[in-house]
Amino acid sequence: MKRIRTGFFLAPLMSLLLSLSLAAGAEPVPTALTTPFSASQGPRLLGQSLPEEDEAKLSTPLGSLWKLFVYSWLQTRDAAAGHEPVHEPPYRCEPGARQADDEYCCEPGESVERDQALQRSCGPYFDPQRLGLTASDWARFGASFWPDNGAGQSVPSWLRQLDALRPETLVPVASLLDALQHVPDSARQAARQALLPNTLRDPGLLAALGSSPRFKTWSWFDAKGERIGGAAGWLADGSAFWFGAPGTSQHALQQHAGWLAQAWRPSGRLYAAADEASQHVQPCVQVQLFARYPLQAIQPAPPDGLLPASAVPYTLHFVNGQQLSVPGGADNPLRLSHRQGRPELSAQWPLEDYIARVIDREGDARETAAAHALAVVARTWLRQNAEQDLSGCLRVEDSSQAQRVSPRPPSAAARQVAAFTAELVLEGHAPVRYHRDQGAPGVLSWSEAVAAHRSGEGMAEILHTSYPQLILRGWHQAASCQELPEAMQWLLERQARWRSRLRQVSGFEALQAPIKVCQLERGVPFAEPDRLRIHLREWWSREGRVTLIHEYLHLAFRHHPNGQDEALIERLAQQLVDS
């Protein structure tokens, strides 16, 4: 069996050095002061502030980290193109004509796309000549995300020069961290999503660090010819980090995973909530609170809209005579409306905030491994059962027949559980459920999960017991696509026929990239605008084809308010299906 190199595990590592991001405004360390590490040096830990003078002089070979910066250039170029992004062709591994590093990219006759190429450290994919990346393009890219701040802080020479993108290039570690900190938010978030599958390949690493740290490996040789390497990336809160150790990356990560976890925990970095940029790319969840427990009144009586902050908590009076106190204000955004004279509460939260509230309501964050497992299951249940609106929000009820959620702000411990398991879901062809104390195949028993945690089992073992057929994936990777090629061809042939009709409607865009149509096992049909994918259960019947056209139209009008007009989209779909 051929060995595939992926992100973390096949890059040899150098002496373990971990560093969080530099303080804002710190001057870059001059290249002349740097001293290369050797494989004989021991573990080190640097804080967020500028390192001590001797450690500020440390330098590292770039290794394969140059691919991370080229990936960022590609993502930034796409973002700048707006509605007409440039899509580079996949890299194909030609049979019988293997290039260097092809074995890390794909099998002969297969091809690899951008995110996979970053995961697998596929060098030929990011070759500047293949991508048409010129020296002037590269210089503009560096200047665009690292502007001179007037204090002499400008793009360092190793990042400014395209021909410096070589594994042997020595760069100051502090300067590398500063460069990672300057990578645009959109590129950083895309890289974090692309690199998540690498974390999931090693159960020990996942158990120790969770899913929040995302990084790309590098490898090279020290002055004595010994293999050295490392990894660099970002924590969930946006902090950049770099580390290394002697030997292979797999050995180093397995040996030092616990050390890394302990190094992060005292400062709270490992369990830190997502930074503001990450919050904006998280799916949002719209919740109808107390869906099966109608409210009678709220005191003090606020006006409709977001509950304002109040000196005393609001008391919710239910029709069944029960009462509950909840705070209002920005820290707990709850929206009040009235239907038939009775108050109703709803909320919209980022995904991980919602998951933390489920943990507080359905479990106990102090039972760590059990709570981690419950967070993954709650996230998976939401993905399988929630409806998705046109804005991308998931809609769900707060009820015993769905998933209960706390109306109060999440506890710090529950936020840590959500952050540790951020984006993780189970993928497969079976629904997930959970129960307080009744386990079964496909059903997680909370009481049994707690017992397993107390006996020393980790999150992965607890999940495997209840869902042996399912595997861990990232939220963005888990929307896997079992393609329906006939539906894709049918849609492709008809797009040209519909174009003249649709151009009469404001906001129509002829899609440049092909649309993928994917088999949906369960749930409500939906489209993924960022991936140009449509998920639906069937397309053979007239109703199925109306659904296919309906979702296509959401993609074709996705940048215009008409794309949010359900009545218009449905009317057009009904007209086009019979055209």
Side-chain angles (χ1 to χ4, degrees):
M1 179 180 296
K2 183 176 73 64
R3 189 165 57 97
I4 297 292
R5 180 176 67 180
T6 55
F8 299 161
F9 300 116
L10 301 180
L13 295 170
M14 126 186 227
S15 62
L16 187 61
L17 178 72
L18 164 75
S19 177
L20 301 179
S21 63
L22 298 178
E27 293 186 5
V29 180
T31 303
L33 296 179
T34 60
T35 303
F37 271 124
S38 70
S40 61
Q41 292 176 296
R44 304 185 184 196
L45 175 65
L46 302 183
Q48 278 192 286
S49 59
L50 196 65
E52 296 293 332
E53 183 179 353
D54 60 336
E55 295 190 332
K57 300 176 182 179
L58 299 176
S59 66
T60 176
L62 263 183
S64 58
L65 292 180
W66 67 268
K67 302 165 193 173
L68 183 57
F69 288 101
V70 175
Y71 176 93
S72 299
W73 172 76
L74 288 168
Q75 293 294 137
T76 305
R77 181 197 63 181
D78 287 356
H83 296 174
E84 300 293 337
V86 179
H87 294 280
E88 75 276 8
Y91 177 77
R92 180 175 169 81
C93 295
E94 298 293 346
R98 303 283 277 178
Q99 295 190 39
D101 285 343
D102 265 10
E103 63 178 298
Y104 305 133
C105 300
C106 43
E107 296 286 354
E110 296 180 349
S111 60
V112 63
E113 296 186 351
R114 187 186 301 175
D115 284 1
Q116 287 179 312
L118 187 64
Q119 294 166 22
R120 300 176 181 182
S121 201
C122 174
Y125 187 98
F126 297 105
D127 178 22
Q129 185 174 359
R130 187 187 93 88
L131 299 173
L133 172 57
T134 66
S136 58
D137 291 334
W138 189 247
R140 284 192 298 271
F141 168 62
S144 69
F145 76 84
W146 197 330
D148 193 320
N149 64 3
Q153 183 175 354
S154 57
V155 184
S157 59
W158 66 267
L159 186 59
R160 187 169 58 247
Q161 300 170 6
L162 184 61
D163 60 4
L165 295 182
R166 299 191 304 268
E168 66 269 26
T169 298
L170 281 176
V171 302
V173 173
S175 179
L176 174 63
L177 291 169
D178 214 5
L180 289 171
Q181 206 66 56
H182 278 81
V183 168
D185 288 339
S186 60
R188 173 166 55 84
Q189 294 306 325
R192 279 181 53 81
Q193 291 174 11
L195 292 169
L196 174 58
N198 295 332
T199 309
L200 305 182
R201 291 189 172 94
D202 189 303
L205 186 66
L206 179 63
L209 301 181
S211 60
S212 289
R214 314 282 172 82
F215 47 92
K216 172 74 186 69
T217 52
W218 59 271
S219 64
W220 201 240
F221 302 89
D222 68 7
K224 297 180 180 180
E226 296 183 39
R227 295 301 298 266
I228 58 174
W234 303 272
L235 297 179
D237 68 350
S239 299
F241 66 88
W242 178 92
F243 76 95
T248 67
S249 60
Q250 183 174 10
H251 171 78
L253 287 168
Q254 289 174 347
Q255 181 179 2
H256 297 294
W259 183 90
L260 282 169
Q262 290 301 320
W264 263 314
R265 282 191 181 101
S267 63
R269 314 308 299 181
L270 187 59
Y271 294 127
D275 68 351
E276 185 175 352
S278 300
Q279 292 280 1
H280 290 319
V281 299
Q282 282 186 35
C284 51
V285 184
Q286 295 178 348
V287 183
Q288 183 63 44
L289 291 164
F290 315 114
R292 299 179 185 273
Y293 301 93
L295 288 166
Q296 183 69 50
I298 299 180
Q299 294 177 337
D304 281 9
L306 288 175
L307 292 187
S310 173
V312 295
Y314 293 93
T315 300
L316 310 183
H317 298 268
F318 293 88
V319 171
N320 64 7
Q322 298 294 317
Q323 296 182 9
L324 180 68
S325 294
V326 299
D331 292 337
N332 196 39
L334 305 179
R335 183 172 293 275
L336 173 65
S337 60
H338 282 79
R339 180 184 298 180
Q340 297 178 348
R342 281 187 174 166
E344 292 185 344
L345 284 177
S346 61
Q348 178 173 308
W349 299 307
L351 172 62
E352 301 307 337
D353 191 63
Y354 170 84
I355 294 300
R357 292 170 184 263
V358 174
I359 296 300
D360 277 338
R361 180 63 179 82
E362 301 275 41
D364 184 343
R366 294 171 297 182
E367 306 288 354
T368 311
H372 289 163
L374 179 59
V376 174
V377 176
R379 207 177 282 111
T380 307
W381 183 93
L382 183 72
R383 189 179 191 90
Q384 291 182 348
N385 294 278
E387 295 184 4
Q388 190 170 32
D389 66 16
L390 300 180
S391 67
C393 268
L394 300 164
R395 292 185 306 210
V396 67
E397 288 186 346
D398 159 44
S399 78
S400 56
Q401 296 188 6
Q403 192 160 251
R404 300 305 308 274
V405 59
S406 172
R408 299 187 178 96
S411 65
R415 289 189 186 276
Q416 291 178 357
V417 167
F420 190 88
T421 64
E423 297 187 42
L424 294 184
V425 293
L426 293 166
E427 183 180 30
H429 299 292
V432 302
R433 293 181 295 139
Y434 58 91
H435 193 275
R436 173 62 59 178
D437 52 21
Q438 297 179 13
V443 180
L444 174 76
S445 163
W446 170 252
S447 61
E448 292 176 5
V450 169
H453 158 66
R454 293 178 179 178
S455 68
E457 290 189 20
M459 173 186 71
E461 293 88 348
I462 293 171
L463 290 171
H464 182 72
T465 298
S466 298
Y467 315 102
Q469 306 301 319
L470 304 183
I471 57 176
L472 277 169
R473 285 286 186 267
W475 179 278
H476 296 276
Q477 284 79 35
S480 59
C481 183
Q482 181 183 342
E483 293 184 5
L484 299 174
E486 296 89 350
M488 293 162 61
Q489 185 63 31
W490 184 88
L491 186 60
L492 180 64
E493 292 172 353
R494 281 154 181 78
Q495 285 181 57
R497 302 185 199 173
W498 300 335
R499 198 162 294 162
S500 60
R501 166 75 180 86
L502 292 175
R503 279 177 174 156
Q504 301 173 31
V505 184
S506 297
F508 171 72
E509 299 173 34
L511 302 176
Q512 303 300 314
I515 296 174
K516 289 187 178 181
V517 182
C518 312
Q519 180 71 60
L520 182 66
E521 294 292 331
R522 64 187 66 82
V524 180
F526 67 97
E528 293 183 275
D530 57 334
R531 294 173 134 186
L532 292 184
R533 286 183 179 180
I534 294 170
H535 299 257
L536 75 169
R537 289 189 292 273
E538 62 90 14
W539 70 283
W540 294 104
S541 68
R542 184 183 186 280
E543 181 181 357
R545 292 186 179 186
V546 168
T547 300
L548 175 57
I549 299 169
H550 185 109
E551 298 303 334
Y552 157 74
L553 292 173
H554 279 312
L555 298 178
F557 288 91
R558 66 193 186 282
H559 296 118
H560 191 273
N562 278 335
Q564 307 292 317
D565 189 337
E566 276 292 327
L568 171 64
I569 293 295
E570 181 63 17
R571 184 167 66 251
L572 286 173
Q574 293 287 349
Q575 293 171 0
L576 294 177
V577 76
D578 295 323
S579 64

